[in-house]
Amino acid sequence: MRVLVGLSGGVDSSATVARLLAQGHEVVAATLVMARGGVPVPPDDAMDRARALCASLGVEHRAVDVSDAFERRVCAPFAEAYAAGLTPSPCVACNRSVKVAALLDLADSLGCDRVATGHYVRLVAGDDGVTRVARAEDRSKDQSYYLCELSPAQVARLLAPLSGATKSEVRAEARAASLPAADAPDSMGVCFAPGGDYRAFLRGRRPDAFEPGDIVDEEGRVLGRHGGIAGFTVGQRKGLNIRTGGGPWFVSSVDPATRQVRVGTGVRPLRTSFPLTGVVLGHDPAWYRGRDLLVQTHHRGRPEPATVTVTAPGEALVGLAGPGTLAAPGQTCAVYDGDTVVAGGTIA
């Protein structure tokens, strides 16, 4: 096939190019440029590695500027969400509405059959013939959470050449093939924030989210002061400026109108049910009715048994079978049937 690879300049996407070439595919590589606020995305050294890789392997390389879409669909909503007391998942939004969307559009213009990425996921065909994202063999690197809001049409065009690999195997392959990115560090944190500090990014966008306010308990008694609601998320237990005794203290809610951060003591504020908005389904709505599923409310979170009821187009209600889970408003919730992603949406 003729395959377009999303090439970031890191070791995973570089190994993806090499694997596809070894399998006999015709490969075109594209690096998506998403520079924002003076922070180059990808960093200059990563772009240099991407170009060097393609030059050494004889692969056509394109640099595609998607900065406008990145600003409108990721950066601006990220800032607005934090100012509203929410905890967004920018990587999920970026994969859905910027990276995969742009790569698919470019693939069509270049006559490419499929799009490949360096994500650690599996792509599995169900009994209904529909391909869905599933957890990677290497659970420590599984990135299925970040792709949970891709549409079935997007997933149908994807390839995941690293699906059965471990990170150590990929690095070993890259070193053996002398790929420029063989020893490149893994990317960490929010890519568009200076030094990975999302608060610094937010200060430049929404300084009002850093106006001081009160930290109060469940009865409204003032326990301390904070330096802005953007520094807090539901369930947080560190960095609380509380000088009174008791505890441990956890953030139970964030109110942007009053700039109050409310805290509770004892156990974290677990939710036994919560609604989802912006839901992307992998099955017909009736399929979910009464079915035992798993939900994951953070990319490092533990999957929890739950039921999911589709209540309206783009909306659903999650009911936990156990004592509950930490569910921060604004965060992405991925829904699994075993290891297979069957839905994704935003916690309301």
Side-chain angles (χ1 to χ4, degrees):
M1 292 185 292
R2 181 172 165 87
V3 181
L4 177 67
V5 177
L7 179 61
S8 68
V11 65
D12 299 324
S13 57
S14 297
T16 296
V17 170
R19 282 193 170 200
L20 289 171
L21 287 173
Q23 293 167 7
H25 299 295
E26 180 186 356
V27 175
V28 181
T31 302
L32 302 181
V33 179
M34 300 174 282
R36 285 291 96 188
V39 180
V41 181
D44 293 336
D45 58 341
M47 178 64 83
D48 291 342
R49 290 193 297 268
R51 289 175 174 144
L53 173 77
C54 292
S56 67
L57 298 178
V59 169
E60 178 185 352
H61 178 257
R62 302 287 186 102
V64 182
D65 192 334
V66 294
S67 297
D68 288 343
F70 189 56
E71 167 62 27
R72 288 184 288 105
R73 299 170 184 170
V74 179
C75 297
F78 178 84
E80 293 305 309
Y82 265 106
L86 304 175
T87 305
S89 302
C91 295
V92 176
C94 187
N95 281 318
R96 178 191 71 243
S97 60
V98 179
K99 288 183 178 179
V100 173
L103 289 171
L104 287 173
D105 286 344
L106 182 60
D108 289 338
S109 70
L110 296 176
C112 294
D113 305 292
R114 306 288 282 275
V115 164
T117 72
H119 286 100
Y120 287 83
V121 297
R122 289 181 297 127
L123 299 171
V124 298
D127 294 337
D128 55 3
V130 176
T131 299
R132 299 179 178 86
V133 173
R135 294 192 186 278
E137 295 290 346
D138 184 353
R139 296 307 176 92
S140 67
K141 295 299 295 181
D142 173 50
Q143 294 174 305
S144 59
Y145 175 89
Y146 293 114
L147 302 184
C148 72
E149 291 186 3
L150 295 186
S151 70
Q154 289 176 318
V155 176
R157 299 278 307 276
L158 294 185
L159 292 176
L162 304 186
S163 61
T166 65
K167 185 74 176 195
S168 59
E169 289 171 345
V170 168
R171 284 212 182 270
E173 283 182 25
R175 292 185 183 113
S178 299
L179 302 185
D183 294 304
D186 290 343
S187 58
M188 301 292 287
V190 179
C191 69
F192 53 83
D197 182 1
Y198 77 89
R199 291 183 177 88
F201 171 83
L202 291 172
R203 285 183 186 278
R205 293 295 188 100
R206 292 298 302 261
D208 56 310
F210 293 90
E211 294 177 2
D214 291 328
I215 299 176
V216 302
D217 65 13
E218 298 294 351
E219 284 71 45
R221 292 172 296 200
V222 176
L223 304 180
R225 295 280 288 173
H226 66 77
I229 62 170
F232 300 89
T233 186
V234 171
Q236 180 177 330
R237 61 182 178 181
K238 296 181 179 179
L240 305 181
N241 186 27
I242 297 176
R243 298 185 178 89
T244 185
W249 297 97
F250 301 96
V251 175
S252 57
S253 65
V254 178
D255 187 343
T258 62
R259 298 197 300 277
Q260 284 188 342
V261 174
R262 190 171 296 273
V263 297
T265 186
V267 297
R268 277 181 164 180
L270 303 181
R271 298 173 73 176
T272 56
S273 67
F274 49 85
L276 299 179
T277 61
V279 178
V280 178
L281 299 177
H283 288 275
D284 181 89
W287 180 90
Y288 299 84
R289 193 174 299 125
R291 192 176 293 268
D292 293 330
L293 301 170
L294 298 168
V295 297
Q296 185 171 328
T297 58
H298 188 271
H299 76 279
R300 293 193 186 95
R302 184 178 65 185
E304 301 285 351
T307 58
V308 175
T309 303
V310 180
T311 54
E315 298 181 4
L317 180 66
V318 173
L320 275 296
T325 190
L326 187 63
Q331 189 74 286
T332 294
C333 174
V335 183
Y336 294 82
D337 180 18
D339 289 339
T340 302
V341 174
V342 292
T346 301
I347 299 168

